[in-house]
Amino acid sequence: MGGKLIKYPIYVTVLLLFVLFIIIPVFYTLLFFEGDWVENLKLLDQRILYLLVKSILIAFSIASFATFFGTILGFLLYRTNLRFRNFYRIALMIPLFISPYILAVAWKDLFFLFTGNSDRISSETGVILVLGIIFTPLSMLITGNAFNNINTHLEEAGLMITDLRSLIFKIILPLIKPALFTSFVLIFIFSISEFSVPSYFGVRLFTTEMFTQFSAFYNHSLAVLQSALLIFICVVLLYADRKYLADAPFLSYGGKGKKVKIFSLKKFKISDELFVFFWFFISVLLPFSVLIIQSFKGGISKFIQAFELLKPTFFSSIWLAFLGAAISVFIGFTAAYISEVRRIKTFDWFLLFVFAIPSTIFGISLIKFYNHPYLDFIYSGFVIVIIGYIGKFSFIAAKLIGNAIKQIPQSLEEAAQIEGIGFYRRIQKIVFPLVLPAVFTAFIINFTFSIGELGTTIMVYPPGSEIMPVKVFTIMANAPQSLVSAMTLIVLGVTLLLITIMYLMVKPMLKNYSDANY
Amino acid sequence: MPIIELKNITHAYGAKKVLEDVSLNIDPGKLTCLLGGSGSGKTTILRLIAGLEIPEKGKIYIENKPVTDDSKILIPSHERNLGFIFQDLALWPHFTVFENIAFGLKERRSQHIEQRVSEILSFFDLKDFDEKYPHQISGGQQQLVAISRALVLEPKILLMDEPLSGLDVKLKRKILEHIKDLKKSFDVTLVYVTHDHREAFAIADQIIVLNEGKVVEAASAKEIKQSENEYIKYFLEY
Amino acid sequence: MIRKIFFYIPVFLILLLAGACVKQKNTIVVYTTVDQIFSEPVLKEFEKESGIEVKAVYDTEETKSTGVLNRIIAEKENPQCDVFWSGDPVRSAVLSQKGITAAYNSPVAADINDVFKDTEHHWTGFSARARVLIYNKDLIDPVDAPQSVFDLTKEKYKGKVTIANPLFGTTTFHIAAIFSVLGEEKAKQFLTDLKNNNVVIATSNGDVKKIVSEGKVACGLTDTDDAFEALKEGENIGMVFLDQQGIGTLIMPNTVCMIKNSPNFENAKKLIDYLLSRKTEAALARSCAQMPLHKGVLIPKNIPSLDAIVPMKIDYNKTAQKLEEIQNYLKEWVEN
């Protein structure tokens, strides 16, 4: 394999840098943690394992819930003639742009408003519902893209012999299995390491337990040990995914269809439109009207105050998230290409490994490793924040781009190879343009997650610097609800605005390629 | 003197052996068909010649120069001076017809790109489609674009992997005529992989029949037709 | 090909340098757990007066990130922080027990009662909050409001009382103080009774304020700053200093400590002196109703003077130790 790797100097360089800057710090922390391992191992008793199982079940439910509804929405919005589908595609994404904690608060307020009692939402079901609703758009995005890329011929062949219903279940869904899996795995990992929502709803889970060890007992080593368990579970999950999907025949899409086929909904049109509207109502209108009502309770002045507070954070936050997302996408592309085309999976495992670490523990690892006099130039500046973003989110980029690369027939690259087009030129001229929509999607998702990242950032942000989500959360304490809601809406507005601008800038390029519809 | 020579080539995909000790020669200026059923290893041979796969064992010579020695690549694909028509044609979907053909030239910083591309487009009657994207033209036109794309680089050898699968009989016949002419018009040696013996007899000078990773017989089209070999007789019946 | 790699290396180096440029000379780094809306103005004022640039890391109890304290602990091999300003005595005590703090006896604090200082001068208290009861006047008649923590275990308040999760923040300290005053056995009995009386566990003191204001629960224990915030927001809220006839009200000063081997040693002293000054106490009294520990600081009328409150008599260091001892018990108490 050594000889094989040396052929890809950029890959090797990126991989080594990733290992150097991110993997080594984490291993360093995991392996050389002060604290009595034996004592801590004893603390991993039955109760903790019970919590772990409970966490797994809840994360499983959330991932299933979100993937189920995300797939339905993805199909309806990307493959049918549903009215206002372009509007919904953007509008339904909104829950992703806001921190789960704030949405949880809005939901609890909402329940109290309508039922006079928030017990019902402060439960396991509440956690599943709220996180499920938040992560559904992620699944919608992933499956929607996959729906768009199915070889139309395969569908048409199916339509010859069966109706739309069995076409969906027997042909289309099996074809997008990799996307369904990606969606499930990502959401599972996000949910199992989510802390703020279960904690706010008072639901005891593995992460809240870990947090307690961390912040009430300052027992870092036990928290690290517990997060090692989480990592282990995520790795097992991905291994199963690999085993199951790696050489499965349905991945060999081969050539693609000519045009994306838009299905006409006919007699289901009204019910489907109602369903999508209902989803929009539940996931966006309801919680956000709570936020809007709250923020205008204090008049427009709260908005101005919120804006003044956030103003100094805009530049640094946007710049950091942009840089973080750009580097993550570059890493993701490199890793995905080598993993999909050359079948070398090393990088993938590293990316997953870091992705699975709970934010706070990742933050602690970075501190432990980088806080040395000779590494001060990293630790005392913004580089550490970017390292945090890259570590946390490169996996997502690699997954999304990997799925797209999988769908490019290898012959396209081979044709160029024979013509004497060099490796990097091929990537630049053939592979990259063809996966550009996925690269863009990955960039947007990474940008969104980075600009909202709190768990790791709050552990490592340089003293005196202003970062948007950190500011919202540190101001939140004891600030009037109206101010907090106003800040949330401003963050949302800024994120949406930036994404729109980026979309408009990239659109001409995307247009060009999507017309080709290979 | 053969232009392509395979000596004792053995190749496998993982545990599955696809070629076992295959030796064969391909003569210059001729159209040679590799004929065989699915799994016979014919496409693999083409990919080995092109350098898209690396053999496990054996040697390949092109124009008397060794290009691979066991699993060592001595000359990479693009220096072997050959063209390749893929089964799925592999037209780049994000390039127009013109760009598809001009891409290789541009990358090689060739001269008179426009002129060379438009010459070849006229040759294949594709002049009117140069601004179109591959999905906007018909299947037959796509075949011709793929052929133009390979030929514009003036290869010595053109490797074709079942390029006509999926075309109707009439169109097939027309394009087969084109292909037959290529030898002369472009001074190129053709290696043509197919499972269809009618196609092979229609165009081939030489035919190499393959079965389960081994050469059954290599001879002129006429001789193959009259072969007494059991497998060939059986194969030709269908 | 090689050229490309050489292209990426400088990009990375530039990134690294960008980080390196952030360092400056005349600065001080302060980590604080005091809510940013209250702590930031004080630090800004110090910056203006001293000309020393203040770099702050804020945190919030509210969201339970507790980044700051864990960060200081994680950074202890190579401290980045000069001064730790805590909203309570517990965290400072934790740091000093872990050997992360340095002693500094500020002359400014000379007239602050020794009760509010570490005997070894590892931390010093200033502006204090008190633990109070807030109640919703729509649900409880002011005449009927509980006057003692022990009232909260009475039948008539069953299911009507909320406290924040006692594993975190000032609530832990409150419970630890009760343990100090009552002794282990009685304190545990009190907690059991509270539990049996269906106490509602809120996520934070801010949450206590919120759910009492909204009328989800009738009354709850919280800190004076949250209570005053509730009163200010015009909610229908009443406030009671508990146990004025009994064990007294828990007084929780802010504390400040210097971090051992801190990089800006001299500036750290200046900031600590500033925080311990009458001026800061007056400012905090105005902004978040904190009660000064210096005598004779000018404060708004509605803020009670510490002299008027019967305090709980505890040793803050010992109570902080107590807190560590009872953590496991509290965890059980919350979970079961």
Side-chain angles (χ1 to χ4, degrees):
Chain A
M1 190 153 100
K4 220 170 163 187
L5 284 176
I6 231 67
K7 277 197 296 191
Y8 312 110
I10 289 202
Y11 170 76
V12 175
T13 315
V14 174
L15 178 65
L16 287 180
L17 285 174
F18 191 83
V19 169
L20 188 72
F21 281 91
I22 294 168
I23 299 295
I24 289 180
V26 175
F27 269 111
Y28 176 86
T29 312
L30 287 179
L31 295 177
F32 303 103
F33 227 97
E34 63 224 72
D36 192 338
W37 283 108
V38 185
E39 272 306 303
N40 283 327
L41 272 175
K42 273 189 224 146
L43 288 174
L44 289 180
D45 54 4
Q46 227 177 340
R47 277 182 331 137
I48 299 226
L49 293 180
Y50 161 76
L51 280 184
L52 186 61
V53 172
K54 187 172 160 198
S55 281
I56 291 173
L57 287 178
I58 286 191
F60 185 88
S61 311
I62 295 167
S64 311
F65 175 95
T67 305
F68 178 75
F69 286 107
T71 308
I72 296 177
L73 291 168
F75 183 76
L76 290 175
L77 297 183
Y78 284 81
R79 294 301 303 276
T80 71
N81 61 344
L82 193 100
R83 266 186 302 171
F84 312 122
R85 55 185 181 276
N86 287 327
F87 164 76
Y88 282 130
R89 274 187 216 173
I90 305 281
L92 292 185
M93 300 288 292
I94 287 175
L96 265 192
F97 301 151
I98 297 230
S99 106
Y101 178 82
I102 288 175
L103 278 177
V105 174
W107 272 101
K108 202 169 172 179
D109 289 347
L110 195 74
F111 254 73
F112 183 72
L113 206 68
F114 281 107
T115 64
N117 184 337
S118 51
D119 289 353
R120 215 165 277 159
I121 191 111
S122 304
S123 63
E124 283 79 2
T125 323
V127 173
I128 294 172
L129 277 180
V130 169
L131 286 178
I133 286 173
I134 291 172
F135 290 129
T136 298
L138 186 63
S139 167
M140 178 185 95
L141 203 67
I142 294 169
T143 55
N145 268 321
F147 280 128
N148 257 348
N149 287 334
I150 296 178
N151 185 339
T152 316
H153 291 162
L154 296 176
E155 288 173 6
E156 284 166 347
L159 268 184
M160 296 297 116
I161 46 173
T162 180
D163 58 357
L164 183 60
R165 205 186 116 91
S166 10
L167 177 77
I168 291 172
F169 286 103
K170 295 277 155 78
I171 311 239
I172 297 183
L173 287 182
L175 278 172
I176 65 156
K177 237 179 205 167
L180 294 178
F181 247 88
T182 301
S183 155
F184 183 88
V185 169
L186 283 182
I187 295 171
F188 182 90
I189 297 174
F190 269 126
S191 324
I192 205 168
S193 48
E194 223 298 318
F195 155 76
S196 63
V197 175
S199 145
Y200 183 70
F201 283 166
V203 173
R204 280 190 62 228
L205 288 178
F206 192 67
T207 39
T208 55
E209 168 67 26
M210 197 161 73
F211 174 78
T212 307
Q213 286 307 328
F214 194 69
S215 61
F217 294 86
Y218 310 108
N219 189 344
H220 291 188
S221 53
L222 184 56
V224 167
L225 192 66
Q226 290 171 346
S227 69
L229 262 182
L230 272 193
I231 297 169
F232 174 74
I233 287 162
C234 297
V235 167
V236 167
L237 185 73
L238 204 81
Y239 182 73
D241 162 29
R242 278 279 148 70
K243 261 282 189 236
Y244 181 44
L245 289 175
D247 298 307
F250 46 78
L251 291 187
S252 49
Y253 285 43
K256 291 194 172 182
K258 308 231 154 132
K259 265 242 146 53
V260 176
K261 194 178 178 69
I262 294 293
F263 295 102
S264 167
L265 288 171
K266 292 176 196 147
K267 66 176 171 181
F268 297 110
K269 191 158 183 172
I270 296 195
S271 56
D272 285 337
E273 273 172 358
L274 274 176
F275 168 73
V276 175
F277 177 76
F278 181 70
W279 192 271
F280 173 68
F281 183 76
I282 293 287
S283 73
V284 182
L285 280 186
L286 272 184
F288 286 91
S289 41
V290 171
L291 288 177
I292 289 169
I293 291 168
Q294 285 170 340
S295 49
F296 280 105
K297 225 160 130 194
I300 191 82
S301 66
K302 285 294 177 211
F303 246 96
I304 295 168
Q305 193 192 345
F307 187 79
E308 287 300 322
L309 280 168
L310 285 175
K311 209 163 67 180
T313 70
F314 289 150
F315 181 75
S316 53
S317 262
I318 292 168
W319 183 77
L320 287 172
F322 193 88
L323 212 56
I327 299 174
S328 293
V329 165
F330 178 71
I331 291 174
F333 185 89
T334 313
Y337 180 83
I338 298 292
S339 143
E340 295 302 336
V341 179
R342 308 294 157 192
R343 310 236 142 248
I344 303 170
K345 305 281 185 189
T346 328
F347 211 154
D348 270 20
W349 289 112
F350 283 140
L351 293 178
L352 169 81
F353 172 73
V354 196
F355 180 64
I357 301 173
S359 316
T360 323
I361 304 296
F362 184 45
I364 283 286
S365 312
L366 293 180
I367 296 177
K368 289 263 174 187
F369 182 80
Y370 283 106
N371 184 31
H372 287 283
Y374 44 90
L375 287 175
D376 235 21
F377 62 102
I378 293 178
Y379 185 61
S380 61
F382 281 126
V383 183
I384 192 79
V385 177
I386 294 183
I387 288 178
Y389 293 164
I390 295 173
K392 288 211 65 181
F393 302 127
S394 293
F395 178 74
I396 303 176
K399 265 277 164 190
L400 293 177
I401 298 173
N403 278 353
I405 290 180
K406 234 179 231 160
Q407 294 176 347
I408 300 178
Q410 213 167 345
S411 59
L412 290 183
E413 222 197 307
E414 289 173 345
Q417 188 186 343
I418 285 183
E419 295 210 346
I421 320 292
F423 178 68
Y424 293 106
R425 261 324 246 180
R426 275 185 337 248
I427 301 278
Q428 184 194 345
K429 290 296 226 178
I430 310 285
V431 181
F432 186 76
L434 291 175
V435 296
L436 194 67
V439 168
F440 182 67
T441 309
F443 181 85
I444 292 292
I445 290 189
N446 270 50
F447 179 81
T448 309
F449 283 149
S450 299
I451 210 168
E453 210 291 326
L454 182 73
T456 302
T457 311
I458 205 164
M459 296 299 299
V460 299
Y461 76 98
S465 61
E466 303 253 22
I467 293 173
M468 206 151 68
V470 174
K471 186 107 181 203
V472 172
F473 273 74
T474 53
I475 290 287
M476 193 185 266
N478 263 323
Q481 184 66 47
S482 51
L483 184 65
V484 177
S485 299
M487 284 172 90
T488 307
L489 288 177
I490 290 171
V491 170
L492 172 71
V494 169
T495 316
L496 273 179
L497 182 74
L498 287 168
I499 290 175
T500 314
I501 293 173
M502 285 186 246
Y503 177 69
L504 291 178
M505 277 162 58
V506 180
K507 200 179 169 193
M509 275 190 275
L510 290 177
K511 182 89 190 135
N512 195 0
Y513 301 126
S514 64
D515 264 0
N517 273 327
Y518 50 106
Chain B
M1 179 87 52
I3 186 165
I4 301 171
E5 214 180 332
L6 270 66
K7 277 192 177 162
N8 312 104
I9 293 289
T10 296
H11 190 59
Y13 293 117
K16 206 177 129 209
K17 270 234 154 81
V18 283
L19 293 178
E20 219 173 336
D21 200 26
V22 167
S23 298
L24 55 83
N25 294 336
I26 283 162
D27 293 331
K30 295 260 171 72
L31 197 161
T32 306
C33 269
L34 299 179
L35 181 63
S38 43
S40 61
K42 53 191 191 307
T43 297
T44 309
I45 291 179
L46 214 60
R47 292 175 62 83
L48 286 168
I49 297 172
L52 297 174
E53 311 262 347
I54 307 161
E56 267 181 9
K57 273 206 182 98
K59 285 182 182 170
I60 301 175
Y61 296 85
I62 294 179
E63 297 184 275
N64 288 323
K65 277 178 279 184
V67 294
T68 55
D69 183 356
D70 290 341
S71 52
K72 223 187 297 164
I73 290 214
L74 303 175
I75 299 179
S77 307
H78 61 276
E79 286 170 25
R80 296 183 186 185
N81 200 10
L82 39 79
F84 199 114
I85 314 289
F86 291 85
Q87 190 169 9
D88 63 1
L89 302 181
L91 294 177
W92 298 303
H94 55 305
F95 288 165
T96 61
V97 167
F98 180 90
E99 287 164 342
N100 258 286
I101 299 172
F103 184 54
L105 291 171
K106 278 187 194 154
E107 293 295 310
R108 294 177 178 195
R109 299 174 200 282
S110 310
Q111 300 210 307
H112 315 298
I113 296 177
E114 297 244 348
Q115 191 195 333
R116 286 169 71 179
V117 175
S118 72
E119 270 173 24
I120 207 151
L121 283 172
S122 340
F123 182 86
F124 288 106
D125 285 330
L126 291 168
K127 268 247 110 187
D128 300 335
F129 305 106
D130 60 342
E131 291 303 313
K132 294 253 194 297
Y133 284 93
H135 71 278
Q136 294 168 317
I137 60 177
S138 74
Q141 285 156 350
Q142 288 178 357
Q143 311 280 345
L144 295 176
V145 173
I147 294 172
S148 309
R149 182 176 74 181
L151 287 175
V152 80
L153 299 171
E154 298 172 355
K156 278 267 172 61
I157 302 162
L158 184 58
L159 308 171
M160 308 175 92
D161 185 9
E162 307 208 32
L164 302 190
S165 50
L167 292 188
D168 66 63
V169 183
K170 222 165 139 191
L171 202 54
K172 223 181 212 175
R173 212 170 283 160
K174 203 174 127 198
I175 293 180
L176 281 174
E177 284 308 311
H178 264 304
I179 292 174
K180 246 164 126 177
D181 290 342
L182 295 180
K183 277 186 296 184
K184 284 184 215 123
S185 325
F186 290 88
D187 184 26
V188 64
T189 303
L190 290 151
V191 183
Y192 189 103
V193 162
T194 181
H195 63 272
D196 181 347
H197 57 82
R198 278 169 295 247
E199 237 175 86
F201 288 129
I203 54 170
D205 304 314
Q206 298 278 336
I207 294 179
I208 298 171
V209 181
L210 294 152
N211 184 34
E212 291 181 351
K214 288 184 182 137
V215 175
V216 181
E217 199 168 334
S220 71
K222 220 169 158 188
E223 286 164 326
I224 292 289
K225 224 175 210 166
Q226 292 154 359
S227 171
E228 289 299 311
N229 181 295
E230 284 297 314
Y231 176 77
I232 294 178
K233 272 159 76 180
Y234 163 81
F235 189 76
L236 295 189
E237 258 174 54
Y238 295 93
Chain C
M1 200 184 290
I2 303 290
R3 271 214 329 256
K4 301 238 170 184
I5 303 168
F6 279 101
F7 170 72
Y8 292 108
I9 290 172
V11 169
F12 239 89
L13 288 179
I14 289 167
L15 279 177
L16 297 183
L17 286 175
C21 296
V22 177
K23 278 235 148 167
Q24 271 178 28
K25 287 141 272 151
N26 196 19
T27 59
I28 174 142
V29 178
V30 53
Y31 289 12
T32 177
T33 65
V34 175
D35 300 337
Q36 189 175 355
I37 37 169
F38 304 136
S39 53
E40 195 173 18
V42 173
L43 295 172
K44 283 268 178 283
E45 190 59 32
F46 170 75
E47 198 168 45
K48 215 159 70 184
E49 276 186 23
S50 66
I52 299 168
E53 192 195 357
V54 177
K55 291 186 168 174
V57 168
Y58 299 99
D59 192 4
T60 156
E61 180 61 29
E62 193 74 12
T63 52
K64 296 260 170 27
S65 60
T66 63
V68 163
L69 198 68
N70 278 300
R71 191 166 167 175
I72 295 178
I73 295 171
E75 284 176 349
K76 70 170 184 239
E77 305 298 332
N78 180 37
Q80 300 285 333
C81 168
D82 300 301
V83 171
F84 175 54
W85 171 10
S86 171
D88 58 67
V90 183
R91 285 157 217 268
S92 295
V94 167
L95 287 187
S96 92
Q97 273 159 27
K98 287 188 181 280
I100 297 173
T101 51
Y104 173 58
N105 187 6
S106 168
V108 183
D111 66 327
I112 288 179
N113 191 328
D114 283 344
V115 175
F116 300 117
K117 289 188 245 176
D118 177 41
T119 42
E120 310 281 325
H121 306 294
H122 278 264
W123 55 264
T124 312
F126 59 108
S127 299
R129 292 178 289 171
R131 287 290 283 182
V132 290
L133 179 107
I134 55 170
Y135 61 96
N136 190 313
K137 289 179 182 161
D138 298 335
L139 300 170
I140 294 183
D141 195 304
V143 215
D144 262 356
Q147 297 298 323
S148 159
V149 280
F150 304 106
D151 288 347
L152 303 179
T153 60
K154 287 181 181 159
E155 176 68 25
K156 73 171 174 180
Y157 299 114
K158 193 160 191 157
K160 290 182 175 173
V161 180
T162 176
I163 63 169
N165 187 338
L167 278 175
F168 303 101
T170 51
T171 312
T172 332
F173 193 65
H174 193 182
I175 305 284
I178 291 174
F179 269 76
S180 292
V181 173
L182 295 184
E184 185 125 348
E185 199 183 326
K186 279 186 184 167
K188 281 186 177 169
Q189 187 57 50
F190 166 69
L191 283 178
T192 311
D193 293 346
L194 205 55
K195 187 105 197 181
N196 290 338
N197 217 19
N198 296 344
V199 66
V200 176
I201 296 179
T203 50
S204 64
N205 290 321
D207 197 36
V208 168
K209 173 192 94 178
K210 190 171 165 179
I211 60 183
V212 172
S213 300
E214 289 171 351
K216 288 178 198 170
V217 183
C219 65
L221 292 174
T222 187
D223 302 337
T224 35
D225 54 342
D226 286 309
F228 277 98
E229 199 64 37
L231 294 173
K232 210 156 68 184
E233 277 173 30
E235 317 279 357
N236 198 17
I237 292 294
M239 180 176 85
V240 182
F241 285 91
L242 295 172
D243 295 298
Q244 292 302 294
Q245 266 83 51
I247 55 171
T249 288
L250 174 65
I251 305 294
M252 286 171 308
N254 281 268
T255 52
V256 60
C257 51
M258 185 141 75
I259 300 301
K260 198 157 84 186
N261 302 325
S262 80
N264 304 296
F265 188 72
E266 284 307 317
N267 286 346
K269 287 182 182 171
K270 288 183 195 158
L271 178 62
I272 291 176
D273 290 347
Y274 183 84
L275 289 178
L276 295 175
S277 70
R278 287 160 184 274
K279 186 173 175 185
T280 304
E281 288 204 312
L284 289 172
R286 283 191 303 273
S287 68
C288 51
Q290 307 224 13
M291 298 168 287
L293 300 188
H294 287 289
K295 295 264 184 262
V297 175
L298 273 181
I299 51 170
K301 273 207 189 94
N302 60 337
I303 309 243
S305 161
L306 215 48
D307 303 331
I309 301 168
V310 178
M312 237 187 218
K313 289 173 190 63
I314 53 163
D315 175 317
Y316 287 91
N317 265 338
K318 280 192 186 141
T319 307
Q321 270 166 15
K322 189 86 207 161
L323 186 151
E324 283 201 21
E325 290 164 32
I326 63 171
Q327 283 279 43
N328 275 315
Y329 167 76
L330 287 179
K331 190 157 171 281
E332 297 263 318
W333 185 83
V334 174
E335 287 166 5
N336 297 317

